[in-house]
Amino acid sequence: MIPFLLLAAAGQAAAPAPALPEAARKLTVEQKAAQLVNEAPAEPALDLPAYDWWSEGLHGIARNGPSTVFPQAMGMAATWDPALIQKVGDVVATEARAKFNSQPLNADRGLYQGLTIWSPNINIFRDPRWGRGQETYGEDPFLTSRIGIAFVRGLQGPDLKHPKVVATVKHLAVHSGPEGGRDSFDVMVSPRDLEATYLPAFRATITEGQALSLMCAYNAIHGTPVCANPMLLTERLRRDWGFNGLVVSDCDAVGNIWMFHHAQPDAPAAAAAALRAGTDLNCGKAYLSLPQAVTRGLISEGEIDTALARALAVRRMLTVDSPWNRIKPNQLGTAANRALALETARKGIILLDNPNDLLPLKGKRIAVFGANADDLGVLEGNYHGTAINPVTPLEGIRAKFGRDIRYAQGSVLAEGAFVGVPETALSSNGKTGLTVETMGANGQWAASGQDRRIDFNYTKTAPFQRRWTGTLTPPGPGQYRLRLDGPACWHACPAHDAVKLYVDDQLVIDDVIGGKKLETTIDGTAPRRIRVEIDHKGGDEGFRLQWLPPAEALQAEALKVAGDADVLVAIVGLSPDLEGEALGVSVPGFAGGDRTDIVLPEMQRKLLAALQATGKPVVAVVVSGSAVSLGDIKPAATLAAFYPGAEGGTALAEILAGDVNPSGRLPVTIYQSTADLPAFADYGMKERTYRYFTGKPAWGFGHGLSYTRFDYGQPTVTASVAAGQPVEVAVQLRNTGARAGEEVTQAYLVPPATGETLVMTDPVLQRQLVGFTRVALKPGQAGTARFTIDPRLMSQVWRDGSRRILPGTYKLYIGGGQPGDGAGQWTQFTVTGNAQDLPK
């Protein structure tokens, strides 16, 4: 019997490591090492099938076929609703189990097929330029902690002896860009910033959320690679926080210790350093050199046994006598799961500005613009599954406002960036889109429908052949670059789909997708006959027909469409093609998956300016994974939708129509310009995030409007408490408008001055979120928001990294946003007694 993992409370000694069963002790060192890499082979001596530890579930089970695709993590954070996100985590775990249970329990499990989910990403989104910030819960440690705890609890379920899946919080620590150089970057972080900003969410998800696994990051801290850092993995994680779960490296991070950080001379030394520091499992191959490390005396076999015991305990607790083995495959993509995705999208869309109450739209002729209006990728974000029946913004608006809604792409996302060829350029048999044919078992093509555009995710289904035929009609003269594209292959993807493109019956592309760009150029002076073919034999991968058209032609088409409308809805922003993990993109404003400018790219600003010049009101909907400033563009109304998941188009249309009252709140600050930010590679927190920024943002953290109004009464608060005791707060609020709505009531604390001498690089805390809750009220109805402020949230961090609660007067603001943003009230309370030090 392998004992289940145990978790000790923070500040206590770590629970004892699980015992290694006798059969495992008899394995050779080579056999033991093989079980400590992500691609663990079958081990007959232990009755273990092959198992790949790498599975993803950031906002739905990812890279393993169809699943319910929820809003990207940033969109989930924008709900400010931990109870809802716990339900999301539960569905993600259910669908992981549904897929896992579709095979016998003793079946081999390949990449992305396991129950060890490498999510959530709880890194702090300290700088909006980081392309992977979309995977996080925003810039605030407290909000990140509460959403992270909820998601972990949803994934793992109520019984940690029999978890539904194992959650893996990542990436410890101080990992938030730049993507370029991430394999070798050495972060010079101050003790104060480490304790006050970068570690709280990890502490909370381990000690409160009881995450059973944690991932160490690529970067080094003060010269020591994190995956070989005993201060973090042994002292802080296991000793201070009492963690005895499984630590896994980010993929190839152990190899990076010697190959990029040059902190060790070779793979055996790097593997020994990581294992000894507390990294149990290696995503990669470096731990296969552990036998050499033992031979050289760099590590003992007993230390390998400790890591192996943890790994085997996880595999047992997930499968042996698990009640979750009863989950059926038909629990995947259910109507209830889809409804939850829709609710999450509704609550995560933010009304940023509506100065003249243009929204909701009633009795208006609407036209839709923007490349993001009809794009699958901006629904799904990154680390996603194959969305089931996804609804783009254009489709959602048409379903709500009428099928005759006109659309024009208007612009590409950024100069030099390809976008999907829109429906407006494609026709066949007098209809919009292209005729679809599928190869039958008899070797003959058979008509199988009409597709508006070619923008799909295909899964690991039976191979098929498909072709699309019709006419491509450019919107104006000029040179058009065409591309057949799929995502770059992530890992172990030897099979790619063969594709062809014919233009006017001439074969111009004949290759396989994945890893290289398949392009051709056509002249846009006349319509062109096209035929696209795919021979799908690969795994989960997308397939798109894209173009890079002349800007003038797209804008002219947009202005023509605008002439027949009363209100112009522009779906603008970014896409996972431009921001994300280690991308190869290099266009103005972007570099390697990160951004170099936080303002909406110029091509889209020109589109918005041209639409505004018509004199008609423009509604801008920003779809992105990170904060986007509109610069000097001032639309009549502005919303932020982030990457809203498979139901994003429906949720957006409901909000535009007023069927749903918007209630999302920003989990990040939207700065005015890039000039507001410190250097990207500077991990100091001075002038970063609402907690330390002293300037005026475009829209602040916590901001979000409603179609109704809420007024606040004077809060009641515990007048005086001893240091180390919680504070109880209550405030009454009333819906004074004409619509039912939900208010996200927020509590911000301003502690007394520490008296500590500061230097120029020290961040100065402006305020700190210490509580939030949703309150649903009908018109005229009053309700009460209640908070219990944890003593830890009243503490401050000194320059040496120590944490202390001071006696004195604490100011507290309660309202619908930060002070000065909407309705709210100030109050205060007093902490008495002596200063109290808190454990790390």
Side-chain angles (χ1 to χ4, degrees):
M1 293 279 293
I2 302 172
F4 294 114
L5 295 184
L6 299 173
L7 285 166
Q12 298 179 3
L20 188 66
E22 189 60 32
R25 293 184 184 278
K26 297 177 181 180
L27 298 177
T28 66
V29 178
E30 288 76 13
Q31 289 173 308
K32 293 175 180 178
Q35 293 301 315
L36 296 179
V37 298
N38 66 289
E39 294 181 89
E43 181 46 72
L46 302 178
D47 291 327
L48 286 177
Y51 183 79
D52 198 309
W53 291 82
W54 185 355
S55 291
E56 300 288 354
L58 183 67
H59 56 121
I61 285 301
R63 304 175 182 171
N64 189 22
S67 68
T68 302
V69 176
F70 293 91
Q72 177 60 293
M74 184 63 62
M76 292 200 292
T79 69
W80 289 56
D81 192 339
L84 175 67
I85 302 310
Q86 183 164 339
K87 294 178 183 178
V88 171
D90 180 62
V91 167
V92 174
T94 294
E95 295 200 348
R97 280 282 178 175
K99 291 175 180 290
F100 188 89
N101 294 346
S102 66
Q103 301 181 63
L105 195 60
N106 61 354
D108 292 340
R109 310 290 172 168
L111 185 66
Y112 309 135
Q113 295 179 349
L115 297 174
T116 41
I117 307 300
W118 291 356
S119 297
N121 183 340
I122 56 170
N123 291 127
I124 296 301
F125 195 7
R126 65 181 181 90
D127 192 304
R129 288 169 288 196
W130 185 36
R132 293 189 71 180
Q134 61 182 285
E135 302 172 26
T136 75
Y137 299 134
E139 69 183 42
D140 180 68
F142 180 65
L143 178 64
T144 297
S145 296
R146 304 329 295 175
I147 300 293
I149 289 169
F151 194 68
V152 167
R153 287 174 174 168
L155 287 176
Q156 295 186 160
D159 181 4
L160 293 183
K161 292 183 178 181
H162 299 95
K164 206 171 190 179
V165 302
V166 163
T168 303
V169 294
K170 63 183 186 183
H171 314 78
L172 186 75
V174 202
H175 180 74
S176 52
E179 283 296 287
R182 68 178 184 171
D183 295 316
S184 60
F185 192 70
D186 187 12
V187 179
M188 299 300 170
V189 63
S190 72
R192 168 178 278 154
D193 288 337
L194 184 65
E195 176 64 26
T197 296
Y198 294 113
L199 292 185
F202 286 98
R203 186 185 193 276
T205 50
I206 293 298
T207 62
E208 293 183 64
Q210 296 189 291
L212 294 169
S213 179
L214 174 143
M215 179 181 287
C216 54
Y218 287 121
N219 57 279
I221 295 178
H222 293 289
T224 302
V226 172
C227 290
N229 192 321
M231 184 278 288
L232 280 177
L233 300 182
T234 300
E235 295 178 23
R236 187 61 57 87
L237 177 64
R238 297 202 187 276
R239 185 195 67 190
D240 295 345
W241 300 345
F243 179 71
N244 197 34
L246 190 75
V247 175
V248 60
S249 78
D250 206 342
C251 291
D252 296 320
V254 176
N256 291 351
I257 292 171
W258 71 279
M259 295 180 67
F260 293 101
H261 288 289
H262 307 296
Q264 296 292 337
D266 54 23
L275 191 77
R276 178 162 287 171
T279 300
D280 302 301
L281 189 73
N282 167 216
C283 181
K285 303 293 186 182
Y287 271 16
L288 296 180
S289 66
L290 282 173
Q292 299 176 54
V294 172
T295 300
R296 287 163 50 179
L298 301 175
I299 196 111
S300 70
E301 188 169 350
E303 289 170 296
I304 295 175
D305 287 349
T306 297
L308 181 61
R310 292 192 184 107
L312 295 180
V314 167
R315 292 194 63 176
R316 173 183 168 80
M317 67 200 302
L318 283 168
T319 54
V320 176
D321 299 325
S322 174
W324 309 113
N325 292 338
R326 296 191 292 269
I327 290 176
K328 303 296 184 184
N330 64 4
Q331 291 186 246
L332 176 74
T334 65
N337 296 355
R338 191 176 186 91
L340 185 64
L342 177 57
E343 181 185 1
T344 309
R346 287 167 174 163
K347 289 187 173 182
I349 294 175
I350 304 161
L351 179 60
L352 294 175
D353 207 9
N354 190 28
N356 298 312
D357 294 329
L358 173 67
L359 299 180
L361 299 174
K362 296 293 184 183
K364 305 287 188 181
R365 293 178 301 164
I366 299 169
V368 179
F369 307 86
N372 278 354
D374 201 27
D375 182 87
L376 176 60
V378 299
L379 296 179
E380 294 180 325
N382 72 355
Y383 281 90
H384 61 83
T386 299
I388 301 169
N389 298 322
V391 181
T392 68
L394 178 61
E395 291 171 321
I397 291 170
R398 282 178 171 162
K400 176 60 62 177
F401 291 94
R403 304 307 306 179
D404 59 345
I405 296 288
R406 294 191 64 190
Y407 167 65
Q409 196 169 66
S411 78
V412 296
L413 296 180
E415 182 181 352
F418 281 73
V419 294
V421 176
E423 62 166 33
T424 52
L426 302 173
S427 61
S428 178
N429 299 323
K431 300 178 182 179
T432 297
L434 300 174
T435 297
V436 189
E437 297 173 285
T438 301
M439 178 67 72
N442 59 0
Q444 301 294 316
W445 291 104
S448 56
Q450 189 101 353
D451 286 333
R452 292 191 302 110
R453 65 203 193 288
I454 300 177
D455 184 12
F456 302 103
N457 281 343
Y458 292 128
T459 61
K460 299 173 185 176
T461 56
F464 63 82
Q465 291 177 262
R466 191 162 294 156
R467 72 182 181 188
W468 296 262
T469 56
T471 300
L472 189 155
T473 304
Q479 296 296 300
Y480 290 74
R481 292 167 62 187
L482 300 181
R483 174 185 289 179
L484 297 181
D485 188 43
C489 190
W490 273 91
H491 182 76
C493 309
H496 296 291
D497 292 348
V499 296
K500 296 179 181 180
L501 171 63
Y502 294 82
V503 177
D504 291 336
D505 301 319
Q506 298 294 312
L507 181 63
V508 294
I509 293 177
D510 185 3
D511 213 320
V512 294
I513 59 174
K516 57 182 176 180
K517 306 304 181 184
L518 309 181
E519 298 179 10
T520 191
T521 300
I522 64 171
D523 181 77
T525 55
R528 314 297 291 269
R529 296 189 306 279
I530 64 167
R531 182 165 87 243
V532 179
E533 297 182 3
I534 184 171
D535 185 359
H536 177 64
K537 296 178 180 177
D540 289 1
E541 53 191 5
F543 182 49
R544 303 176 292 183
L545 174 63
Q546 296 183 301
W547 68 359
L548 186 58
E552 299 81 4
L554 286 190
Q555 184 168 303
E557 180 186 40
L559 293 177
K560 184 177 179 181
V561 169
D564 296 327
D566 300 318
V567 176
L568 314 180
V569 178
I571 317 293
V572 297
L574 310 177
S575 86
D577 290 331
L578 295 174
E579 57 173 349
E581 182 177 4
L583 300 180
V585 63
S586 181
V587 299
F590 303 88
D594 293 324
R595 300 161 66 193
T596 59
D597 193 341
I598 66 168
V599 178
L600 185 73
E602 182 181 9
M603 305 294 284
Q604 296 182 78
R605 296 202 309 274
K606 287 182 177 179
L607 171 63
L608 289 179
L611 294 177
Q612 286 187 314
T614 65
K616 298 181 179 183
V618 175
V619 178
V621 181
V622 182
V623 180
S624 67
S626 52
V628 176
S629 168
L630 297 183
D632 57 1
I633 300 292
K634 304 295 182 185
T638 307
L639 300 102
F642 295 107
Y643 296 137
E647 290 291 330
T650 299
L652 174 62
E654 290 175 336
I655 288 173
L656 291 174
D659 298 346
V660 170
N661 196 341
S663 61
R665 296 294 188 270
L666 282 175
V668 290
T669 300
I670 300 182
Y671 302 92
Q672 297 278 3
S673 73
T674 312
D676 290 331
L677 299 169
F680 189 14
D682 177 4
Y683 279 75
M685 291 304 296
K686 184 176 182 179
E687 294 296 334
R688 289 194 186 281
T689 76
Y690 80 96
R691 295 162 68 225
Y692 303 110
F693 182 57
T694 58
K696 181 176 175 55
W699 291 288
F701 172 88
H703 174 74
L705 303 178
S706 172
Y707 292 153
T708 191
R709 297 180 303 278
F710 299 92
D711 285 348
Y712 284 79
Q714 186 61 37
T716 60
V717 61
T718 307
S720 178
V721 297
Q725 296 301 306
V727 172
E728 302 294 335
V729 187
V731 64
Q732 188 178 77
L733 62 158
R734 184 179 298 276
N735 182 345
T736 60
R739 291 174 175 266
E742 288 192 40
E743 172 80 327
V744 178
T745 301
Q746 304 160 44
Y748 292 89
L749 186 70
V750 180
T754 65
E756 185 182 32
T757 301
L758 302 179
V759 299
M760 288 186 62
T761 56
D762 283 328
V764 178
L765 182 67
Q766 305 297 303
R767 59 187 65 92
Q768 168 70 50
L769 180 71
V770 294
F772 61 91
T773 188
R774 276 182 171 262
V775 181
L777 297 173
K778 297 176 182 178
Q781 185 182 15
T784 302
R786 301 183 187 277
F787 307 96
T788 298
I789 303 177
D790 188 289
R792 193 170 186 86
L793 296 173
M794 292 184 267
S795 65
Q796 298 182 70
V797 179
W798 263 243
R799 297 189 72 232
D800 64 359
S802 61
R803 186 180 285 274
R804 189 172 304 137
I805 301 174
L806 292 178
T809 300
Y810 288 69
K811 298 178 181 178
L812 186 66
Y813 180 84
I814 310 290
Q818 293 185 59
D821 184 13
Q825 297 284 350
W826 282 98
T827 188
Q828 64 184 37
F829 60 90
T830 301
V831 172
T832 62
N834 297 322
Q836 183 176 18
D837 291 328
L838 296 181
K840 293 184 176 180

